[in-house]
Amino acid sequence: MEEGRIALRREPVQIAYLVSQYPAVSHTFILREIRGLRALGLDVRVASVRAADRPFEQLSAEEQEEQRATFYIKPAGPAALMAANLRMLLARPRSYLGALLYALRLGLSNILYFAEAGVFADWMRREGLSRVHMHFTSTVGLFASRLGPMRTSVTIHGSDEFRDPARFHLREKVRAFDLVCAISEYGRGQLMRVSESRDWSKLRVVRLGVDAEIYAPRPFRYNPSPFEILCAGRLAPVKGHRVLIGAVARLIATNRTARLHLVGDGPERAALEEEVAQRRLAGQVIFEGWQSAERLRDLYAQADAFALASFDEGIPVVLMEAMAMEIPCVATRITGIPELIRDELDGLLVAPASEEELASALARLIDDADLRLRLGRWARRRILECYDLNRNVAALADLLR
């Protein structure tokens, strides 16, 4: 080293990630985000409220590695929860009692969230961490931020929070947190709607993304028979699966050979299976259940179109994955989806709740191979331009630094 010059070593940014469930099939994008941030030099420590959504032996090698390093809140049990909260009470009595009163003032139902916040804040204190970013755990994070000094940031996905902002304490969270990331301009607008204008400077749009190398274009089929339609998501009323099943029934009634694969599970599965049986569509609608990310990619590779009939959404990552693989997509014209899919350019958008419009859009794709090819290619361009995982994680890393 030259005389008179001082070498400065830049220490990596240490940050906790507080998530609702990790690892989880439906939140694979969080795993990708965390590992992407680590690749960029951030020291990310994960705390999860709930255990993984599958037994250890069913996790991928990557997920097993993450589980071993994750701190779990609920699985530790009631005794550990009480011990952690007692430590926080003894270490910071005024902060603890003040945070407890604040939680109760917002609602008696918050007592469990507060107890979980005590466990998390105790872990942060013991680990010497002072920063936290949150996904799907902002209420726990809100109370934890009052238990000890920490810099806080959150990604708000919607759309549950936007439907009932009072129940989710959105105004209070925007006021309390240092940085609030929305995944779309629509989401940022909803946050502005429910918060005070003095807090709008905290709001940023940080889009989600997919790895376009992993989700590479699949082989294109000019004359598929049957025409394979894929839909992935929780089987719940908000996803509009009944409308999609009705649209497929209309396609079959017009002598088009189509088959729908429903990936996912949820509270409406039995009712949807009954609907399929009543419509005599057992051979045309296949319930695939929950699938790993690897198996879902296999299903994407076999798909001729991807369809979502949701009534309410954030911006589904499954749409991004399908688009990256050059699968033409049909989705409803709601919330932030038109920011992802520009109608007739990157895919087709239809009105929610309209079987007829959804069936018509799918029929166009079945009948016009050139349209499918064009929409698929433009869809991948859209992902590369605006929803590339590496670029968007780098943008988040810059904010967290």
Side-chain angles (χ1 to χ4, degrees):
M1 183 169 56
E2 295 179 32
E3 186 178 352
R5 297 188 64 178
I6 300 175
L8 297 177
R9 182 180 178 183
R10 185 178 180 182
E11 294 296 328
V13 173
Q14 289 187 325
I15 186 167
Y17 247 62
L18 177 61
V19 299
S20 59
Q21 187 171 39
Y22 190 78
V25 169
S26 57
H27 295 163
T28 302
F29 66 91
I30 297 179
L31 183 147
R32 296 278 166 245
E33 181 175 291
I34 287 170
R35 293 178 78 91
L37 289 171
R38 289 182 184 142
L40 292 170
L42 277 71
D43 180 4
V44 181
R45 318 278 184 87
V46 182
S48 176
V49 174
R50 291 178 287 156
D53 61 350
R54 288 151 289 151
F56 184 79
E57 61 274 10
Q58 294 181 16
L59 301 176
S60 68
E62 195 176 47
E63 289 173 323
Q64 290 178 352
E65 181 183 350
E66 291 294 322
Q67 180 171 297
R68 291 189 188 99
T70 296
F71 173 75
Y72 289 98
I73 296 175
K74 277 188 175 181
L81 184 146
M82 292 175 64
N85 276 269
L86 180 58
R87 286 194 296 269
M88 289 303 301
L89 174 60
L90 294 175
R92 300 187 177 118
R94 291 184 62 183
S95 295
Y96 187 90
L97 294 175
L100 176 59
L101 290 174
Y102 175 75
L104 293 175
R105 191 162 62 247
L106 291 181
L108 289 174
S109 60
N110 289 316
I111 194 65
L112 178 58
Y113 291 128
F114 176 80
E116 293 168 356
V119 178
F120 175 69
D122 177 63
W123 174 75
M124 289 272 290
R125 182 174 59 88
R126 289 185 287 110
E127 292 292 316
L129 298 170
S130 60
R131 301 185 184 192
V132 58
H133 187 74
M134 297 160 261
H135 281 277
F136 304 111
T137 51
S138 54
T139 301
V140 175
L142 176 64
F143 302 144
S145 69
R146 287 178 165 253
L147 289 171
M150 61 182 74
R151 291 191 63 79
T152 52
S153 58
V154 64
T155 296
I156 299 291
H157 295 259
S159 56
D160 289 345
E161 298 96 326
F162 304 147
R163 284 199 303 271
D164 194 351
R167 183 167 72 88
F168 284 92
H169 315 304
L170 270 192
R171 179 186 293 266
E172 290 78 7
K173 290 171 182 175
V174 174
R175 181 185 304 141
F177 296 151
D178 299 297
L179 171 68
V180 180
C181 303
I183 63 170
S184 65
E185 293 290 352
Y186 168 82
R188 182 172 179 268
Q190 292 298 302
L191 290 168
M192 292 174 71
R193 177 177 66 88
V194 302
S195 62
E196 299 175 45
S197 58
R198 65 184 180 184
D199 293 323
W200 288 357
S201 61
K202 301 177 182 181
L203 305 178
R204 297 286 189 277
V205 175
V206 181
R207 303 187 188 279
L208 303 180
V210 297
D211 189 328
E213 292 185 6
I214 294 176
Y215 294 93
R218 90 287 185 237
F220 182 80
R221 303 197 306 166
Y222 274 92
N223 298 297
S225 184
F227 186 88
E228 304 286 1
I229 304 168
L230 181 63
C231 176
R234 191 165 61 96
L235 301 185
V238 72
K239 298 293 186 178
H241 288 105
R242 289 179 184 271
V243 176
L244 179 55
I245 290 169
V248 170
R250 287 172 178 261
L251 294 174
I252 292 168
T254 58
N255 296 319
R256 291 179 173 87
T257 56
R259 184 162 55 197
L260 172 63
H261 298 262
L262 295 176
V263 178
D265 215 330
E268 207 178 28
R269 176 161 182 167
L272 291 173
E273 289 176 334
E274 183 178 351
E275 174 92 2
V276 167
Q278 289 177 351
R279 289 178 177 266
R280 298 182 179 179
L281 295 174
Q284 286 78 37
V285 179
I286 311 299
F287 290 86
E288 301 282 357
W290 284 119
Q291 298 294 336
S292 67
E294 293 76 15
R295 172 57 182 154
L296 180 54
R297 281 202 300 274
D298 292 339
L299 291 168
Y300 283 134
Q302 301 165 21
D304 300 298
F306 189 92
L308 281 183
S310 300
F311 303 128
D312 205 0
E313 284 281 3
I315 298 186
V317 174
V318 289
L319 271 179
M320 301 176 198
E321 293 171 348
M323 293 171 69
M325 295 183 70
E326 295 189 351
I327 303 169
C329 294
V330 181
T332 42
R333 193 182 295 104
I334 58 167
T335 59
I337 289 179
E339 295 177 41
L340 171 64
I341 296 178
R342 296 167 295 182
D343 192 23
E344 300 285 345
L345 181 60
D346 313 301
L348 301 178
L349 297 179
V350 299
S354 175
E355 282 185 15
E356 182 179 4
E357 197 170 332
L358 180 55
S360 177
L362 289 169
R364 287 180 61 194
L365 295 180
I366 293 173
D367 298 343
D368 191 340
D370 290 336
L371 175 64
R372 294 200 308 276
L373 190 61
R374 176 175 63 82
L375 291 177
R377 287 176 175 172
W378 274 96
R380 181 169 173 83
R381 290 183 192 178
R382 182 66 169 164
I383 297 302
L384 294 175
E385 290 173 1
C386 300
Y387 297 90
D388 175 75
L389 176 69
N390 295 327
R391 184 184 300 117
N392 293 352
V393 168
L396 176 61
D398 287 342
L399 287 172
L400 295 180
R401 288 192 181 103

